[in-house]
Amino acid sequence: MSAPAVDYLPLPEYRLWQKIEDKRILLSLEMEITARCNHNCRHCYNNLPADDPSARSKELTFGQLKNVIDEAVSLGALWCLLTGGEPLLREDFSDIYLYLKKKGMLVSVFTNATLLKPVHVDLFRQYPPRDLEVSVYGVNQRTYEKVTRSPGSYKVFRQGLDLLVASGIKIRLKAMALRSNLHEMADIARFCRKHTKDYFRFDPFLHLRLDQNQDRNREIKSERLSPREIVNLEASDPERFQTLKKACFESFRPAAGQPADDRLFGCGIGNGSLTLGCDGRLRLCASLCAPNTTYDLESGSLRDAWTHFALKVPEMHAQAKEIRNTCRSCSLINLCQWCPAMAHLETGSMERAVDYFCRVAHARATALGQATLQKERKKERN
């Protein structure tokens, strides 16, 4: 019997990584094709009303998006995430999706599934997405609609999800852990693991608004869980807790030491991906919108942004030396959400610590340390 024409390989084992190991290539592009959404979720950092004429007028046209996609592919891009707002609000969503697929890209879609129609299901069946992630805000009407503040949204969510499940399309379900749905998180986890094809994830960290709307930010903060609630929730999910322990615990036990220099960014920003905002501004990561860190496509090109601008931002130096001696050198950095982008959203400065993140990191460290100590004592007794 002859060997199959295509062998299956897990993504980390692709030989592609070896070929590009020493090269700087734009591999992925995140496209926020609209900021509009048919929900008004209490925790959302990037949503405007579905019928907002100003938001609609600022969206890039299909023709403009095609030009961006063409440039991205010419720079080597293989992956694209379509998100929003709610991307299915775009009447030309199918055109955008098909154009990406015809360019040979792997396409992921983030959606709330409430606008999903048979035409979308047919599209996804014929041209399967790499990932189709659906947000789950609750598993009963009262909780779901308390979060979305959209009457009738739970019914259409279940209809959309049922369409996807019946079609056999691979989906991933995810949830935000909020004060409004904390009482239901165990049920949400069971619901998601029942319906998802591979894994379920939840996120307890609520992102502040990209538009810096202070009224909405106060609302988001009111939905945040306390550090102790986050730790208890993570500990109640053995799969997540073990992943957190494996990924982070060994990294924070030794002192992290001082960073090599006073550059502000210690991550891989500007190396591999870009985010295109719905207004045509490019960000080097989805969260980074601080002054002098975004690029306006109206006055340039994706190629210029990638080959020139994206090299400058990572070289920005911290002006306040104390950040080098605190967050940048903290031994708990892998358990913390702190980074210059998040610091700017939280404090208005890329160089300030965020007390809430710090308290969560210390609570996580304590919980992980206690779990390890208990495991070691159990081994000793045996």
Side-chain angles (χ1 to χ4, degrees), residues 166-181:
S167 72
I169 295 170
K170 179 181 176 181
I171 58 174
R172 288 175 169 173
L173 302 186
K174 60 184 178 183
M176 299 300 300
L178 321 172
R179 188 150 306 285
S180 290
N181 67 11

Side-chain angles (χ1 to χ4, degrees), residues 110-288:
F110 287 178
T111 179
N112 60 39
T114 59
L115 299 177
L116 199 79
K117 300 292 187 290
V119 64
H120 299 122
V121 173
D122 291 342
L123 176 69
F124 295 145
R125 289 181 67 182
Q126 188 172 0
Y127 303 97
R130 175 176 180 256
D131 296 304
L132 184 59
E133 289 200 1
V134 178
S135 299
V136 180
Y137 304 118
V139 290
N140 66 57
Q141 181 180 355
R142 183 176 181 180
T143 300
Y144 190 95
E145 294 181 9
K146 181 180 181 181
V147 174
T148 65
R149 294 185 288 203
S150 299
S153 57
Y154 181 68
K155 180 179 178 180
V156 289
F157 158 68
R158 290 304 304 265
Q159 289 173 345
L161 183 60
D162 288 346
L163 275 175
L164 290 172
V165 171
S167 72
I169 295 170
K170 179 181 176 181
I171 58 174
R172 288 175 169 173
L173 302 186
K174 60 184 178 183
M176 299 300 300
L178 321 172
R179 188 150 306 285
S180 290
N181 67 11
L182 178 61
H183 66 284
E184 204 171 278
M185 281 305 298
D187 293 332
I188 291 173
R190 281 191 289 270
F191 177 89
C192 291
R193 288 194 167 108
K194 176 182 176 182
H195 290 88
T196 199
K197 297 296 184 183
D198 50 9
Y199 78 100
F200 150 70
R201 65 182 176 91
F202 69 86
D203 190 352
F205 282 97
L206 305 187
H207 196 293
L208 293 188
R209 298 279 299 191
L210 294 178
D211 61 12
Q212 299 180 321
N213 182 310
Q214 293 306 305
D215 290 335
R216 295 300 301 267
N217 277 345
R218 282 189 285 272
E219 187 171 51
I220 292 170
K221 288 180 180 180
S222 73
E223 285 290 335
R224 282 178 169 171
L225 306 184
S226 70
R228 175 50 53 191
E229 287 171 325
I230 289 175
V231 166
N232 289 343
L233 183 60
E234 291 175 333
S236 70
D237 189 310
E239 183 178 332
R240 181 186 177 94
F241 193 72
Q242 289 305 313
T243 298
L244 184 67
K245 181 178 177 182
K246 182 178 180 181
C248 301
F249 187 59
E250 293 300 323
S251 299
F252 73 70
R253 278 200 289 186
Q258 294 293 321
D261 54 42
D262 64 352
R263 280 181 293 185
L264 189 57
F265 295 92
C267 59
I269 191 171
N271 185 25
S273 64
L274 289 173
T275 295
L276 176 64
C278 54
D279 58 356
R281 297 198 71 89
L282 285 163
R283 309 195 298 271
L284 271 63
C285 84
S287 301
L288 183 60

